[in-house]
Amino acid sequence: MRKIFRELKSLDEVRRILESLTIDLGVEEIDILEAYNRVLAEDVYAKCDVPPFDRATMDGFAVKAEDTFLAEEDKPIKLKIVGSVKAGVIPSVEVERGCAVEISTGAVMPKGANAVVMVEYTTSKDNYVYIYKPVAPMENVASAGSDAMAGELIVRKGKVLSAREIGLIASAGVDRVKVFRRPRVAIISTGDEIVEVGNPLDGGKIYDVNLYTITSKVRECGCLAFSMGVVGDDYHEIKRTVENALKMCDIVITSGSTSAGLGDVIYRVFEELGDVLVHGIAVKPGKPTVIAKAKNKVLFGLPGYPVSALMIFEVIVAPFLRKLTGLREKRNVVKAVLQVKTYSDVGRREFRPVAVVKTDRFVVYPFTSYSGSVSTLAKADGFIEIPENVAFLEEGEEVDVILFGDYKPSDLVIIGSHCLGVDLLIELSGVDAKVINVGSTGGLLAVKRGEADLSGTHLLDESGVYNVPFIKRLGLKDVILVKGYEREQGFLVAKGNPKGIRSFKDLLREDVVFINRNPGSGTRVLIDMELRELAEKMGVSFEEVVKKIKGYDVEAKTHTAVAVAVLMGKADVGVGIRTVADRYGLDFIPLRPEEFDFVVRKDRLSKDSVRRFIETLRSEEFREAVKRLPGIRVSERTGETLEF
Amino acid sequence: MRKIFRELKSLDEVRRILESLTIDLGVEEIDILEAYNRVLAEDVYAKCDVPPFDRATMDGFAVKAEDTFLAEEDKPIKLKIVGSVKAGVIPSVEVERGCAVEISTGAVMPKGANAVVMVEYTTSKDNYVYIYKPVAPMENVASAGSDAMAGELIVRKGKVLSAREIGLIASAGVDRVKVFRRPRVAIISTGDEIVEVGNPLDGGKIYDVNLYTITSKVRECGCLAFSMGVVGDDYHEIKRTVENALKMCDIVITSGSTSAGLGDVIYRVFEELGDVLVHGIAVKPGKPTVIAKAKNKVLFGLPGYPVSALMIFEVIVAPFLRKLTGLREKRNVVKAVLQVKTYSDVGRREFRPVAVVKTDRFVVYPFTSYSGSVSTLAKADGFIEIPENVAFLEEGEEVDVILFGDYKPSDLVIIGSHCLGVDLLIELSGVDAKVINVGSTGGLLAVKRGEADLSGTHLLDESGVYNVPFIKRLGLKDVILVKGYEREQGFLVAKGNPKGIRSFKDLLREDVVFINRNPGSGTRVLIDMELRELAEKMGVSFEEVVKKIKGYDVEAKTHTAVAVAVLMGKADVGVGIRTVADRYGLDFIPLRPEEFDFVVRKDRLSKDSVRRFIETLRSEEFREAVKRLPGIRVSERTGETLEF
């Protein structure tokens, strides 16, 4: 049907290809004041002895050590002071037996002296110094060349210059060094729909992202970035721009125009200008990546999707650039425990963004549905690699997390059930929050383990009580429950309610197909509770009632799945929250509201962010603002607390 | 006698003072292309919806989802193709029931369509598309504003901008952002004896180091460095320069001229220009540090010694600068096991440079004699802090090592006894070696633990055999012994050999005082072996011989200590190597040579660096070059190997 990337290469193959690729960058000579973090392209030899002369390392008196050998604390030796030497001058005085010369730290040792007595071990009077402690020859003296000798190799080629090496080079009188030229990298965004930021956005266009992200990344890798702007999806225009880039840069990185659907423009351009080495990689995201070599230069064609482009840069381009610069790989990898079972496609290596939480160990929550959105990526702390032959990773498995930079904890960690009300509370309280959506039970367990400061939860017990029974049942201690808000629950039915559903009794009708929720969900508990009441009213058993409901044994796992089933006509009715009904254009028949509460660890109550979140929940501002969210409302209990 | 720093502050007090110091840097607006690693000084809000319209996330067909609900793999739905939409254009076509529009990834969804069927699940023929899989509403569509809504807060003030945040900001149409101005830092070196590198070095002068090291460090901290050169130890000159620096910079860092011996110039200048907050810190090195505040600016007066200046920068100035910039602290701290008992002065916190070796854990060897030399510092991997109230740290204790940058293993790790021959071998072989001197036994244990690739050793057994018995005794396995070279051992006596010492028999004379070595040292074994032979020859017991030797029970711990005792006249004779006799101007009477060999782990023999080291030992080049080292010579066994 469509062009297939004929030879998808594995990530390992691509890494091997890049491992063997070299570019000769050449060398430049620079002043050592500018040499920080540059890579030395020559062995550096000392131009002079360091220190250049025998040098006093203490303030005191330069003496012949032999004169002091008999000195004792209560029997000082008396020497005649015959002069003084300051740092920076050549002493004219000479030290003979029985004599001493006052000397400053850093000064040249006068002729005849072979040791310095620290001033602390002396007293002076009438041009005589009394010495209370013997010194050995060369004590408190740095002898000429002891640090480095003229002609000695002091720093080797290939060294990344830090302050310490630069200091050593300076001390040896070397003011300019040869370093490797930094790689020059051109960055080009392509796509008819792409507009450079700062320009007006015509209909159908979006702002460019890749030029900005890749430029930042190139700088992070220690290279010089040349941002060449945006060009359309046109073979000739792209070819011209890449040719220009090749004239001035060592590396060219394009993004976009790689997909087969667009005629594989980048592949054709690269093939025209050099040798294509890679055309498609068995990874997710980032499959349509192209890599080519043109003489002493290398071309990367990244996918257009910002998240894909950035992940491929991180995994493939960055290590190559770092190798070129000679700088160290900056990958920050930590071992972490996966808290959610995670599925992946077999056959492609997957890079999955994750949220990281640190307690006494690192734990990770993968972003559940892989999202191509930049805002999602901006929220991620790093990513995990899921190998080609792995269909899923188990909860509790240890994984390697490649962090985006250093791990920085958030002010507030909320793990639990997702709700627009939580987003609103964060917005109003103005805290820097990390929100991880794993459902109510997962959230309570995260609070128990100390990963979360607080959790949003809406679990219903058979007793009809929300949340409280679960705190006890899951063994949470030293927590408080803060009553949150109510969410409207009800029947989701097709627009216009064609089957005329009014109550649970209607589910027993011959012409009505129901869709149930999974056991353990709060909604399922609600459904069964209502059906039990109905059975009681009807004077029959619960089992008898259930047997009559078509679809009772078909279980959807989320509110959304219920809505889609109703929308697709697979079911006539299900139970869910109003927000979902609204989103899918379904009709909504209210039942009883559910109680969405917050469970907070007591040891986190002193945190400013936690206090602000709870204060916001109780505020007039929230009470007002929440009115714009359909199906959510505060109650007279909002903000009440219960201790556990 | 001399000015004492009246109020030495503890490091913790100094940290508290700096914690409370703030400087208002102000804000600048920059292009987001330049924003990498800058710190946001404002909340950034989206200027447009992201995406700005409902957008196809896949290549395929835009449809009404309802039309596809009945599609099955073997019963496709047939829809009429009524047009196509490319990315970047506004579709004029509308999708009605029974119709579909071909659509590219990124294109605007045409009116009437609410989902995209991936091209993979379709076939097309004669203007009709056959759909084999149903889609739910909004499937493969990113709805307008789903990533960010116009007016939404997308990145908060204080955020360090990485590629990911910059991408998010670009996507939302924001091209310029306000960031905190980077701190401007002036660096001034002071001292009459200091010359800027690149200039001729007159007598008594040395090249400046601090201007170069501090400039590098300031850049590493994300600040703008203004290197203002070198000024003499003159109150007025220094004051003028600091005043100029204050006009253009936020921070001024001087080095040198802080010691009481030089009239405390920096303290007086700082006191004149602002308020001195710190005048002397209870740390080692770096005691005479001065810190002052002048209006909205801060002044640091570091000591002149390069190692002291750099350590104080690292421990005190760097955290302050990083706090100012808003960038994260980069301290790289690892837990490591101390391999050598380490003493420290009580009353001052000590920063001790260390060498780090990584096996399955990190271990550290502190630099034994604290050296103020830059070359020593350049060799260190990091430093440890020894608290004020601690006199020593035990071998085996766990310590925190603050690494200088990332830990990078050396090509070759040599731990053992120090010898100039080892230095020569490293120089000739051209390998990047880390040399840690802990003596022969310590070296063999380091080989056993896998910390060292190889060890230099010269241990003598009572049987008269060098090194081999110790490999077995210490339980080393899977190692080889490579025969090294011979070092001349003999009697160290005063110049001219006034007591006419010739043999061990002379030690028994009434007028001769001996200095012994500590038990366990190879030299002690040699001494006792010779005395045992002497006793046998004389027909008396060893004990009888020993009783006659004055000073037999006085034990020096090193060759050097023996030499100093002889030099000071505390003893007439001791046993040591020729190198030491030469260094202290003593006479030397040769006895039997000691065998300096190398023990190498077999699992390291495949390392290029190890191979090159051993090849060098066997080379003609080494045979020639070693002749310049007094008391060291190759033998016919040099380079032979024995397996264990």
Side-chain angles (χ1 to χ4, degrees):
Chain A
M1 252 165 348
R2 59 200 326 243
K3 187 171 191 287
I4 301 297
F5 293 91
R6 245 165 306 169
E7 270 189 283
L8 276 198
K9 287 200 161 54
S10 75
L11 183 61
D12 293 334
E13 283 175 274
V14 173
R15 283 180 171 153
R16 269 195 300 277
I17 289 169
L18 289 175
E19 200 65 47
S20 67
L21 264 189
T22 50
I23 294 181
D24 181 18
L25 291 171
V27 161
E28 59 184 334
E29 196 182 277
I30 59 169
D31 195 288
I32 55 162
L33 259 184
E34 305 300 326
Y36 168 67
N37 214 27
R38 298 299 299 269
V39 181
L40 208 52
E42 60 175 351
D43 288 341
V44 175
Y45 295 87
K47 279 196 183 168
C48 60
D49 282 351
V50 185
F53 46 81
D54 287 354
R55 190 170 184 240
T57 63
M58 292 287 171
D59 290 349
F61 290 87
V63 296
K64 285 186 187 292
E66 308 86 279
D67 278 348
T68 70
F69 287 168
L70 298 176
E72 287 179 34
E73 221 170 309
D74 50 1
K75 239 170 63 194
I77 294 286
K78 180 181 173 189
L79 299 176
K80 188 169 186 214
I81 302 173
V82 295
S84 74
V85 200
K86 289 253 164 225
V89 296
I90 300 186
S92 49
V93 64
E94 194 175 327
V95 175
E96 311 206 329
R97 289 296 304 236
C99 297
V101 163
E102 202 182 349
I103 196 162
S104 308
T105 302
V108 180
M109 288 294 286
K111 205 184 272 180
N114 66 357
V116 171
V117 183
M118 283 169 71
V119 70
E120 282 83 347
Y121 300 117
T122 67
T123 54
S124 312
K125 202 180 159 192
D126 302 333
N127 274 331
Y128 283 90
V129 57
Y130 296 84
I131 291 170
Y132 296 85
K133 201 181 168 187
V135 281
M138 299 313 279
E139 202 168 320
N140 301 323
V141 177
S143 60
S146 59
D147 216 1
M149 285 201 283
E152 189 181 327
L153 173 61
I154 48 172
V155 188
R156 280 178 201 280
K157 181 174 167 174
K159 189 85 191 172
V160 181
L161 296 174
S162 78
R164 296 176 300 129
E165 288 81 24
I166 290 172
L168 180 57
I169 291 171
S171 73
V174 178
D175 61 331
R176 291 179 72 77
V177 288
K178 290 204 175 72
V179 295
F180 290 108
R181 197 164 58 68
R182 291 160 74 191
R184 299 161 71 94
V185 181
I187 300 119
I188 304 166
S189 286
T190 74
D192 285 338
E193 79 278 27
I194 304 292
V195 175
E196 266 177 83
V197 186
N199 297 308
L201 200 62
D202 297 333
K205 313 280 187 188
I206 56 167
Y207 283 119
D208 186 24
V209 167
N210 293 335
L211 194 71
Y212 308 94
T213 53
I214 304 299
T215 296
S216 301
K217 277 277 158 198
V218 163
R219 296 216 172 105
E220 192 181 295
C221 291
C223 300
L224 297 168
F226 295 80
S227 312
M228 305 196 57
V230 176
V231 297
D233 276 323
D234 176 77
Y235 175 84
H236 297 286
E237 201 186 338
I238 292 178
K239 190 180 155 207
R240 243 191 333 270
T241 313
V242 173
E243 276 177 325
N244 281 338
L246 278 173
K247 277 178 204 149
M248 75 177 184
C249 289
D250 307 297
I251 313 274
V252 177
I253 302 176
T254 67
S255 62
S257 307
T258 52
S259 85
L262 284 164
D264 225 355
V265 181
I266 291 295
Y267 169 72
R268 289 189 288 128
V269 170
F270 283 12
E271 197 164 51
E272 175 78 23
L273 298 174
D275 299 319
V276 171
L277 307 172
V278 175
H279 183 208
I281 308 177
V283 294
K284 178 185 175 181
K287 186 172 75 166
T289 300
V290 188
I291 305 174
K293 166 141 202 182
K295 286 184 205 114
N296 194 29
K297 321 215 154 178
V298 176
L299 304 154
F300 291 92
L302 308 183
Y305 258 135
V307 172
S308 312
L310 207 51
M311 292 300 281
I312 290 294
F313 188 96
E314 193 83 44
V315 171
I316 290 174
V317 185
F320 179 73
L321 293 185
R322 290 214 165 265
K323 191 192 74 173
L324 264 193
T325 57
L327 297 172
R328 285 176 204 158
E329 181 63 74
K330 282 247 175 110
R331 271 200 161 194
N332 195 354
V333 181
V334 295
K335 297 261 176 225
V337 177
L338 190 69
Q339 297 296 57
V340 181
K341 185 170 180 174
T342 305
Y343 294 87
S344 177
D345 289 355
V346 171
R348 285 162 74 184
R349 180 145 350 163
E350 185 173 346
F351 311 114
R352 180 77 71 92
V354 296
V356 175
V357 179
K358 191 179 178 185
T359 52
D360 51 336
R361 57 182 186 174
F362 285 104
V363 300
V364 291
Y365 292 88
F367 284 81
T368 39
S369 70
Y370 177 73
S371 159
S373 91
V374 199
S375 64
T376 303
L377 194 64
K379 279 179 203 137
D381 297 298
F383 64 93
I384 57 174
E385 282 193 26
I386 308 176
E388 289 83 346
N389 57 352
V390 168
F392 60 86
L393 297 171
E394 275 295 358
E395 180 188 331
E397 232 176 276
E398 194 181 65
V399 291
D400 281 335
V401 182
I402 299 102
L403 293 175
F404 297 128
D406 300 328
Y407 171 72
K408 189 180 164 256
S410 299
D411 293 343
L412 181 64
V413 179
I414 303 178
I415 305 179
S417 182
H418 176 249
C419 179
L420 292 174
V422 175
D423 293 345
L424 180 63
L425 283 166
I426 292 168
E427 192 192 321
L428 295 178
S429 61
V431 297
D432 163 40
K434 182 196 290 282
V435 180
I436 300 172
N437 303 319
V438 294
S440 297
T441 306
L444 289 177
L445 291 172
V447 165
K448 186 180 178 186
R449 287 190 301 258
E451 292 156 21
D453 297 317
L454 61 87
S455 174
T457 173
H458 54 107
L459 289 169
L460 180 61
D461 182 61
E462 292 77 5
S463 64
V465 177
Y466 271 92
N467 302 319
V468 170
F470 293 86
I471 294 177
K472 293 172 182 162
R473 199 174 302 163
L474 295 173
L476 273 75
K477 285 193 187 107
D478 295 318
V479 297
I480 63 165
L481 180 131
V482 185
K483 291 302 290 177
Y485 40 77
E486 293 180 352
R487 303 204 300 186
E488 267 193 284
Q489 269 185 134
F491 291 124
L492 309 184
V493 295
K495 200 88 206 163
N497 192 5
K499 293 280 169 84
I501 311 283
R502 289 284 160 256
S503 76
F504 275 91
K505 206 168 172 190
D506 291 316
L507 305 194
L508 280 64
R509 278 161 45 192
E510 265 295 326
D511 62 330
V512 170
V513 177
F514 179 63
I515 175 133
N516 207 345
R517 277 297 305 279
N518 55 313
S521 64
T523 306
R524 172 64 171 265
V525 174
L526 172 75
I527 291 165
D528 287 351
M529 208 167 63
E530 296 277 358
L531 290 176
R532 216 166 264 123
E533 272 176 36
L534 179 65
E536 217 166 297
K537 240 187 270 172
M538 291 170 63
V540 295
S541 76
F542 173 71
E543 284 69 26
E544 246 168 301
V545 164
V546 157
K547 230 176 9 191
K548 286 198 176 147
I549 301 174
K550 272 179 287 303
Y552 181 83
D553 50 355
V554 180
E555 295 166 353
K557 277 200 179 139
T558 63
H559 286 278
T560 310
V562 171
V564 168
V566 172
L567 194 67
M568 288 187 165
K570 287 183 179 165
D572 298 308
V573 58
V575 178
I577 56 174
R578 184 189 282 276
T579 328
V580 173
D582 273 27
R583 195 184 315 145
Y584 285 87
L586 298 172
D587 271 9
F588 182 79
I589 296 120
L591 294 161
R592 114 185 211 174
E594 68 175 356
E595 299 171 27
F596 194 98
D597 298 330
F598 298 96
V599 174
V600 190
R601 285 178 69 94
K602 280 189 188 166
D603 59 4
R604 309 295 166 85
L605 284 170
S606 55
K607 280 178 80 167
D608 183 51
S609 57
V610 173
R611 268 205 307 266
R612 269 158 71 191
F613 186 88
I614 297 173
E615 277 164 21
T616 306
L617 176 66
R618 293 170 177 158
S619 70
E620 199 47 52
E621 191 189 7
F622 175 66
R623 221 164 259 274
E624 258 326 292
V626 82
K627 288 178 183 161
R628 69 176 194 241
L629 299 178
I632 297 183
R633 61 169 181 247
V634 298
S635 74
E636 67 281 2
R637 295 193 61 194
T638 296
E640 264 185 38
T641 57
L642 290 158
E643 280 199 52
F644 295 88
Chain B
M1 253 167 348
R2 61 203 324 243
K3 187 171 193 282
I4 301 296
F5 292 91
R6 244 165 308 169
E7 269 191 283
L8 276 199
K9 287 202 160 56
S10 74
L11 183 62
D12 292 336
E13 281 175 274
V14 174
R15 283 179 172 153
R16 267 195 300 278
I17 289 169
L18 288 175
E19 200 63 48
S20 68
L21 265 189
T22 49
I23 295 181
D24 181 18
L25 292 171
V27 162
E28 59 185 331
E29 195 181 276
I30 59 170
D31 194 289
I32 54 163
L33 259 184
E34 306 299 326
Y36 169 67
N37 214 28
R38 298 299 299 269
V39 181
L40 208 52
E42 60 175 351
D43 288 341
V44 175
Y45 297 87
K47 279 195 181 167
C48 59
D49 282 352
V50 186
F53 46 82
D54 288 354
R55 191 170 183 239
T57 64
M58 292 287 172
D59 290 348
F61 289 88
V63 297
K64 283 185 186 294
E66 309 86 279
D67 279 349
T68 70
F69 288 168
L70 300 176
E72 289 180 32
E73 222 170 309
D74 50 359
K75 239 171 62 194
I77 293 287
K78 181 182 171 188
L79 299 175
K80 189 168 185 214
I81 302 173
V82 294
S84 75
V85 200
K86 291 252 164 226
V89 297
I90 300 185
S92 51
V93 64
E94 196 175 328
V95 175
E96 311 205 328
R97 289 297 302 239
C99 297
V101 164
E102 204 182 346
I103 196 161
S104 308
T105 302
V108 181
M109 289 292 287
K111 203 184 274 180
N114 65 358
V116 171
V117 183
M118 283 169 72
V119 69
E120 282 83 347
Y121 301 116
T122 66
T123 54
S124 310
K125 203 181 160 192
D126 303 333
N127 274 332
Y128 283 90
V129 57
Y130 296 83
I131 292 169
Y132 297 85
K133 201 181 168 187
V135 281
M138 298 314 279
E139 202 167 320
N140 301 321
V141 177
S143 60
S146 59
D147 216 1
M149 285 201 284
E152 189 180 328
L153 172 61
I154 48 173
V155 187
R156 279 177 202 279
K157 181 174 167 174
K159 189 87 191 171
V160 180
L161 296 174
S162 78
R164 296 176 299 129
E165 288 81 25
I166 290 172
L168 180 57
I169 291 170
S171 74
V174 178
D175 61 331
R176 291 178 72 78
V177 289
K178 290 204 175 72
V179 294
F180 290 109
R181 196 164 58 68
R182 290 160 74 193
R184 299 161 72 94
V185 181
I187 300 119
I188 304 166
S189 286
T190 74
D192 286 337
E193 79 278 27
I194 305 291
V195 175
E196 266 177 82
V197 187
N199 297 309
L201 200 61
D202 296 333
K205 313 279 189 187
I206 56 167
Y207 283 119
D208 185 25
V209 168
N210 294 335
L211 194 71
Y212 307 94
T213 54
I214 304 299
T215 296
S216 301
K217 277 279 158 196
V218 164
R219 294 215 172 105
E220 192 180 297
C221 290
C223 300
L224 297 170
F226 295 80
S227 312
M228 304 196 59
V230 176
V231 296
D233 274 324
D234 176 76
Y235 174 83
H236 297 286
E237 202 186 338
I238 292 178
K239 189 181 157 204
R240 244 192 331 270
T241 313
V242 173
E243 277 177 324
N244 281 338
L246 279 172
K247 278 177 202 149
M248 79 179 179
C249 289
D250 307 297
I251 313 275
V252 178
I253 302 175
T254 67
S255 61
S257 310
T258 53
S259 84
L262 284 163
D264 225 355
V265 181
I266 291 294
Y267 170 72
R268 289 189 289 129
V269 170
F270 283 12
E271 198 164 50
E272 176 78 24
L273 298 174
D275 300 320
V276 171
L277 307 171
V278 175
H279 183 208
I281 308 178
V283 294
K284 178 185 174 182
K287 186 173 75 167
T289 300
V290 188
I291 305 174
K293 167 141 202 184
K295 286 183 205 116
N296 194 30
K297 321 215 155 179
V298 176
L299 304 154
F300 290 94
L302 308 184
Y305 257 135
V307 172
S308 312
L310 207 51
M311 292 301 280
I312 291 294
F313 188 97
E314 193 83 43
V315 172
I316 291 173
V317 185
F320 179 72
L321 293 185
R322 291 214 165 266
K323 190 192 76 174
L324 265 193
T325 58
L327 297 172
R328 285 176 204 159
E329 181 63 75
K330 281 247 174 109
R331 272 201 159 190
N332 195 354
V333 181
V334 296
K335 297 261 176 225
V337 177
L338 190 69
Q339 298 297 57
V340 180
K341 185 169 180 175
T342 304
Y343 294 87
S344 178
D345 290 355
V346 170
R348 284 163 75 185
R349 181 146 348 164
E350 184 174 347
F351 312 115
R352 179 76 71 92
V354 296
V356 175
V357 179
K358 192 181 178 182
T359 52
D360 51 335
R361 57 182 185 172
F362 285 104
V363 300
V364 292
Y365 291 89
F367 283 82
T368 39
S369 71
Y370 177 73
S371 159
S373 91
V374 198
S375 65
T376 303
L377 193 65
K379 280 180 202 136
D381 297 299
F383 64 94
I384 57 174
E385 282 193 27
I386 308 176
E388 289 82 347
N389 56 351
V390 168
F392 61 86
L393 298 171
E394 276 294 358
E395 180 189 330
E397 231 176 275
E398 194 182 65
V399 291
D400 281 334
V401 181
I402 299 102
L403 294 176
F404 296 130
D406 299 328
Y407 171 72
K408 189 180 163 257
S410 298
D411 292 345
L412 181 64
V413 179
I414 303 178
I415 305 178
S417 182
H418 176 249
C419 179
L420 293 175
V422 175
D423 293 346
L424 180 62
L425 283 166
I426 292 168
E427 190 191 321
L428 295 178
S429 62
V431 296
D432 164 40
K434 182 196 290 281
V435 180
I436 300 171
N437 303 319
V438 294
S440 296
T441 307
L444 290 177
L445 291 173
V447 166
K448 185 180 178 186
R449 288 191 300 257
E451 291 156 23
D453 296 317
L454 61 87
S455 174
T457 172
H458 54 108
L459 289 170
L460 179 61
D461 183 59
E462 291 78 6
S463 64
V465 177
Y466 271 93
N467 302 318
V468 170
F470 293 87
I471 293 177
K472 293 172 182 161
R473 199 174 301 162
L474 295 172
L476 273 74
K477 282 190 190 110
D478 295 318
V479 297
I480 63 166
L481 180 130
V482 184
K483 291 303 289 177
Y485 41 76
E486 293 179 354
R487 301 204 301 187
E488 268 193 283
Q489 269 185 135
F491 290 125
L492 309 184
V493 295
K495 202 86 205 164
N497 193 5
K499 293 280 169 84
I501 310 283
R502 289 284 159 256
S503 75
F504 273 92
K505 206 168 170 190
D506 291 317
L507 304 194
L508 279 64
R509 278 162 43 192
E510 265 295 326
D511 63 330
V512 170
V513 178
F514 179 62
I515 175 131
N516 206 345
R517 279 294 307 279
N518 54 314
S521 65
T523 306
R524 172 64 172 266
V525 173
L526 172 75
I527 291 164
D528 286 352
M529 208 167 62
E530 295 277 358
L531 291 176
R532 216 166 265 122
E533 271 175 37
L534 179 65
E536 216 165 299
K537 241 187 271 173
M538 291 171 65
V540 297
S541 76
F542 174 72
E543 284 69 26
E544 246 169 301
V545 165
V546 157
K547 228 172 17 187
K548 286 199 177 149
I549 300 173
K550 270 180 287 304
Y552 180 84
D553 50 353
V554 180
E555 295 165 354
K557 276 199 181 141
T558 63
H559 285 278
T560 310
V562 170
V564 168
V566 172
L567 193 66
M568 288 187 165
K570 287 184 178 163
D572 298 308
V573 57
V575 178
I577 55 173
R578 184 189 282 275
T579 329
V580 173
D582 274 27
R583 194 184 317 145
Y584 285 88
L586 297 173
D587 270 10
F588 183 77
I589 296 121
L591 293 162
R592 114 186 213 175
E594 69 175 354
E595 299 170 27
F596 195 98
D597 299 330
F598 297 97
V599 174
V600 190
R601 286 177 69 94
K602 280 191 188 164
D603 59 3
R604 309 294 165 85
L605 284 170
S606 55
K607 280 179 80 168
D608 185 49
S609 57
V610 173
R611 267 205 308 266
R612 270 158 68 192
F613 187 87
I614 297 173
E615 277 164 21
T616 305
L617 176 65
R618 294 171 176 157
S619 70
E620 199 46 54
E621 191 189 6
F622 176 66
R623 221 165 259 274
E624 257 327 293
V626 81
K627 289 178 184 161
R628 69 175 195 242
L629 299 179
I632 297 184
R633 60 170 182 247
V634 297
S635 74
E636 67 281 2
R637 295 191 63 193
T638 296
E640 265 184 38
T641 57
L642 289 157
E643 281 199 53
F644 294 88

